[in-house]
Amino acid sequence: MNFDEALAAHPRKPDLLGDLRGIDDGLGPELHPADLWRAGISEASLATYARNLFTTTEGMLGSRFFEFDYVTDTQEWAFERATKILARGKDWFIEPLRELQPRSYAVLAESTLLCGYHSYYDDGPPNPGNHASTLEILLTRDRALGIELFHTGSPEENGISGFAGDAWPEFLLRSWWYRLSGYKFLRELGSIGNWAGPLLAGPYYGTGINHLVEALGPKAKRAYMPLLKEMFGADTVTKKFRTGRVALLCFLDTRPPLTLPRPLGDQLLVRMDRSDKVIYHVRECRFDHIRVMNPSTLAECLDRYFEHVLTRVPGEFDFMPYSSPM
């Protein structure tokens, strides 16, 4: 079901709370990484919010967002961000991928840019706990990819040199992060938190390695933390870096969020306190077998991974040929 079909099928004003109950893609809340390719946006979720999604700035500006009784300054800024994304257009946002991530670019070139909002408006006037939030998505095939703008300027605006501590491979700063700060797969449009898995966390975000290990339980913490301290230094894995997280940061974790306590999938990490641009690879949270991504094939690897999940190729993507033991 595409956007136009969803809109035609649901011309009524949706009963948001009623439609939200039980909406998913039929796969349940937890997915093994091997099933991540199956987690598209549910038709029910798309149809529910079709009336609040727009393909033009004019449509967004003419929407009922500002009819809400409770709209904070933060929400006004979010609304301005959504209209700015529509004004710039999909082609502008994905253009940096054309040369550096060509497979991903080809898939996203087929997508539709939609911006709008979701709320619980029909359950009463919005209030601090019940208010409107904006949506910015690229709808590609049956996947909804939530996108974000940088809050304080992108690498394009601020320059590549020294961005985010200069820890990152340059191709990331010139492609995926050149104009956008983050990408998440949404399973429901009514719940931003219900995303199927990350495409890529922003350069200032991600999960500290200490939290990854702690989530695996006390036994894993006792086994891995001493090894990590010895390997990277205690401060790197326990002390907060200036980003507010520890310096050894996981920016891509192929596990769906609700499976995070399980040792599954692949994790890619970077040291924010170094400028060597080394990307570390961990398979199934085995932090006693850390590998290093090969710099010469890293861009190709990520391009193929993003293509894999965007097009829902069956099974897990294999990172192992692109990394080597430390």
Side-chain angles (χ1 to χ4, degrees):
M1 177 181 292
N2 61 31
F3 175 71
D4 292 333
E5 291 170 337
L7 185 59
H10 291 258
R12 64 181 176 80
K13 185 169 76 170
D15 175 4
L16 300 184
L17 281 180
D19 287 346
L20 274 174
R21 294 190 182 97
I23 290 177
D24 63 23
D25 45 28
L27 302 179
E30 297 191 14
L31 292 173
H32 189 280
D35 291 326
L36 181 56
W37 66 277
R38 298 172 56 209
I41 188 71
S42 69
E43 293 183 2
S45 183
L46 176 62
T48 297
Y49 289 95
R51 296 293 285 182
N52 295 342
L53 291 170
F54 305 93
T55 58
T56 65
T57 303
E58 292 74 21
M60 188 74 179
L61 290 172
S63 72
R64 40 193 290 271
F65 183 90
F66 287 108
E67 295 178 15
F68 298 135
D69 297 328
Y70 187 87
V71 178
T72 66
D73 291 342
T74 300
Q75 290 168 315
E76 285 200 43
W77 176 86
F79 186 85
E80 292 175 2
R81 178 187 64 197
T83 55
K84 183 184 294 185
I85 285 177
L86 281 173
R88 291 178 174 176
K90 177 201 70 178
D91 292 343
W92 186 80
F93 289 112
I94 68 172
E95 179 59 32
L97 302 176
R98 184 193 292 269
E99 298 296 329
L100 297 172
Q101 300 281 270
R103 295 176 179 84
S104 304
Y105 174 85
V107 178
L108 292 178
E110 303 171 359
S111 65
T112 300
L113 174 63
L114 298 170
C115 292
Y117 57 87
H118 68 86
S119 73
Y120 302 108
Y121 184 76
D122 290 344
D123 195 46
N127 56 61
N130 181 25
H131 55 75
S133 297
T134 59
L135 291 163
E136 299 88 37
I137 65 174
L138 287 171
L139 188 63
T140 176
R141 305 187 185 186
D142 55 357
R143 308 221 70 170
L145 185 61
I147 58 177
E148 299 176 24
L149 284 175
F150 283 94
H151 291 270
T152 57
S154 66
E156 180 185 37
E157 295 164 329
N158 292 341
I160 298 294
S161 178
F163 187 87
D166 202 26
W168 302 100
E170 187 169 309
F171 88 88
L172 276 174
L173 300 177
R174 292 193 179 276
S175 58
W176 290 99
W177 290 329
Y178 197 55
R179 292 169 178 164
L180 292 175
S181 66
Y183 309 78
K184 295 178 180 178
F185 287 126
L186 304 178
R187 294 179 68 186
E188 294 180 10
L189 300 187
S191 174
I192 296 299
N194 190 357
W195 41 286
L199 186 63
L200 192 65
Y204 291 113
Y205 304 104
T207 305
I209 195 168
N210 57 328
H211 293 307
L212 287 181
V213 172
E214 288 168 2
L216 297 174
K219 184 178 179 180
K221 184 177 180 180
R222 288 193 299 269
Y224 294 141
M225 286 305 291
L227 293 175
L228 293 171
K229 290 177 183 179
E230 180 180 353
M231 189 179 305
F232 296 103
D235 285 353
T236 301
V237 298
T238 61
K239 185 179 179 180
K240 282 188 178 180
F241 191 58
R242 60 176 176 266
T243 58
R245 297 161 175 82
V246 300
L248 191 55
L249 195 67
C250 178
F251 66 96
L252 194 151
D253 189 339
T254 68
R255 296 173 296 173
L258 292 180
T259 68
L260 288 185
R262 298 183 188 172
L264 301 169
D266 294 82
Q267 297 78 41
L268 299 186
L269 304 99
V270 67
R271 284 190 64 168
M272 298 295 290
D273 59 346
R274 299 279 290 271
S275 58
D276 54 17
K277 306 184 187 302
V278 174
I279 301 298
Y280 301 95
H281 173 218
V282 179
R283 176 68 185 148
E284 296 183 342
C285 296
R286 287 294 306 273
F287 296 107
D288 53 346
H289 289 82
I290 295 181
R291 301 168 63 86
V292 176
M293 296 296 292
N294 301 323
S296 62
T297 57
L298 178 60
E300 177 189 349
C301 172
L302 292 186
D303 193 21
R304 290 184 179 277
Y305 167 72
F306 299 148
E307 178 191 37
H308 181 97
V309 292
L310 283 168
T311 58
R312 300 175 77 176
V313 174
E316 290 186 80
F317 180 81
D318 188 3
F319 285 87
M320 296 296 283
Y322 299 95
S323 67
S324 305
M326 286 186 63

